[in-house]
Amino acid sequence: MSLVAVREADLGPERAKVTSQSLLAQKRSGAAITSLTAYDYPTARLVDEAGIDMVLVGDSLGMAVLGHSDTLSVTMEEMLHHARAVRRGVQRALLVVDMPFGSYQVSQEETLRNGLRLVKEAGAEAVKLEGGALSHASSVRVLTEAEVPVVGHIGLTPQSVHRMGGYRVQGRSVEAVARLREEALRLEDAGAIALVLEGIPRELARAITAELTIPTIGIGAGPECDGQILVFHDLFDLSFRKPPKFVRSFGDAGAMMRAGLEAFREAVEERSFPADAESYHLPAQVSLEEPVELKGR
Ligand code: KIV
């Protein structure tokens, strides 16, 4: 029995492994696709065990976990390091890993080498890259032909922050609407298995979703996408910044952790931690009554 078959058997019929094919089937059936980012083993386990369909090791890693102000400095080595940890925590969800800025802009050969590394060294089941220009579509085609499935990403693409002049909603002019609709079709034609739509008007996302056969996953793109994705840390108020309009808080983990940290500090300071029940004890026959001498002096 193959490893995948064993895992599917472990998961049971209602928790069958998510694949690019099952995502397509979800789009066709109208069942919403759920997706979240994860960057380490515990968050990956939590997200996967909650039944989320797609886990993305996003290059938002740079901001959410590494404390950078944008995603541009994230490297292939950092993506590989975090993706390996996430891989160990994900069984059911489709595992997608972002190609970081600079890893697919230089040449098709380098794009392919980096895409293959994410699959071979970190166990990615698909990679994601930003942009819908002709060169991006060629990258999607090259990777797809090499058996590296690709998720596209258009609209507000954070790696283009300097060109965009900030994190601004895209696709509000007649020209921009036409360009984004064309980019979406181009990426589908190049073989993308799904498309992230970020920071675009709801009406445009709805139109693109209707025009594509592959699923769209929205973030700041309204409710009519085939699925929704958010950054894990945004979901739980752990991002230390004013969240964008499209983020909804689903719990204040920061407040819970702050209270716990304060309680720990107080317990240590007042010497109530560790209690006797949290301590190890000598067996009754071992005595500390004998004086100890430093031998060999
Ligand atoms: O890097 C990321 O986290 C992303 C999404 C949130 C879509 O690209």
Side-chain angles (χ1 to χ4, degrees):
M1 208 191 268
S2 77
L3 183 60
V4 171
V6 170
R7 285 183 161 196
E8 282 185 5
D10 286 351
L11 293 168
E14 74 290 354
R15 300 244 316 139
K17 176 82 186 89
V18 178
T19 64
S20 56
Q21 295 306 311
S22 68
L23 291 183
L24 259 183
Q26 263 181 268
K27 173 170 180 125
R28 289 197 201 108
S29 73
I33 296 167
T34 54
S35 183
L36 284 173
T37 65
Y39 313 98
D40 56 24
Y41 177 76
T43 54
R45 277 203 69 154
L46 289 169
V47 169
D48 193 51
E49 287 170 12
I52 300 299
D53 299 313
M54 186 172 111
V55 171
L56 171 69
V57 186
D59 63 350
S60 49
L61 163 75
M63 296 155 95
V65 171
L66 302 180
H68 295 300
S69 54
D70 56 44
T71 60
L72 301 180
S73 62
V74 175
T75 64
M76 271 297 293
E77 298 314 315
E78 286 168 338
M79 291 307 300
L80 285 162
H81 177 76
H82 286 265
R84 283 187 204 109
V86 170
R87 173 72 282 171
R88 289 175 211 123
V90 170
Q91 279 198 38
R92 174 187 172 266
L94 185 80
L95 178 61
V96 182
V97 181
D98 256 346
M99 297 196 70
F101 184 57
S103 70
Y104 59 98
Q105 282 85 356
V106 177
S107 68
Q108 300 242 314
E109 202 180 303
E110 214 169 298
T111 302
L112 190 51
R113 188 177 309 118
N114 286 324
L116 288 167
R117 281 193 77 191
L118 293 172
V119 173
K120 287 175 74 81
E121 296 177 37
E125 292 164 325
V127 301
K128 176 166 82 57
L129 56 84
E130 297 183 7
L134 282 173
S135 60
H136 298 119
S138 311
S139 298
V140 172
R141 200 175 293 282
V142 163
L143 287 160
T144 303
E145 282 171 2
E147 311 298 352
V148 179
V150 185
V151 173
H153 182 167
I154 59 170
L156 194 174
T157 45
Q159 293 179 10
S160 320
V161 59
H162 295 317
R163 179 180 53 75
M164 294 183 306
Y167 298 105
R168 298 174 195 288
V169 174
Q170 303 292 300
R172 281 182 151 156
S173 67
V174 175
E175 300 75 35
V177 163
R179 183 173 46 75
L180 285 167
R181 289 174 77 182
E182 191 185 337
E183 287 182 358
L185 288 172
R186 185 184 288 144
L187 290 169
E188 170 166 297
D189 187 54
I193 60 163
L195 189 58
V196 170
L197 300 177
E198 177 164 357
I200 62 172
R202 171 180 181 169
E203 299 76 15
L204 175 55
R206 184 198 302 140
I208 292 175
T209 299
E211 282 158 4
L212 296 186
T213 56
I214 57 171
T216 60
I217 316 286
I219 172 163
E224 287 103 359
C225 297
D226 297 306
Q228 297 292 329
I229 183 166
L230 281 178
V231 166
F232 182 93
H233 293 65
D234 286 343
L235 216 66
F236 296 111
D237 286 347
L238 284 171
S239 60
F240 298 93
R241 64 176 172 135
K242 185 174 175 296
K245 170 181 175 164
F246 60 79
V247 166
R248 185 187 296 178
S249 165
F250 286 85
D252 193 345
M256 191 263 287
M257 287 186 198
R258 278 196 181 89
L261 290 166
E262 210 156 293
F264 169 76
R265 182 176 53 72
E266 278 169 17
V268 173
E269 285 173 357
E270 73 189 21
R271 299 195 178 278
S272 65
F273 175 82
D276 189 57
E278 290 156 332
S279 307
Y280 297 105
H281 293 277
L282 276 176
Q285 69 275 18
V286 179
S287 156
L288 294 171
E289 295 308 310
E290 293 301 311
V292 66
E293 278 170 28
L294 195 53
K295 297 198 178 79
R297 275 184 99 198

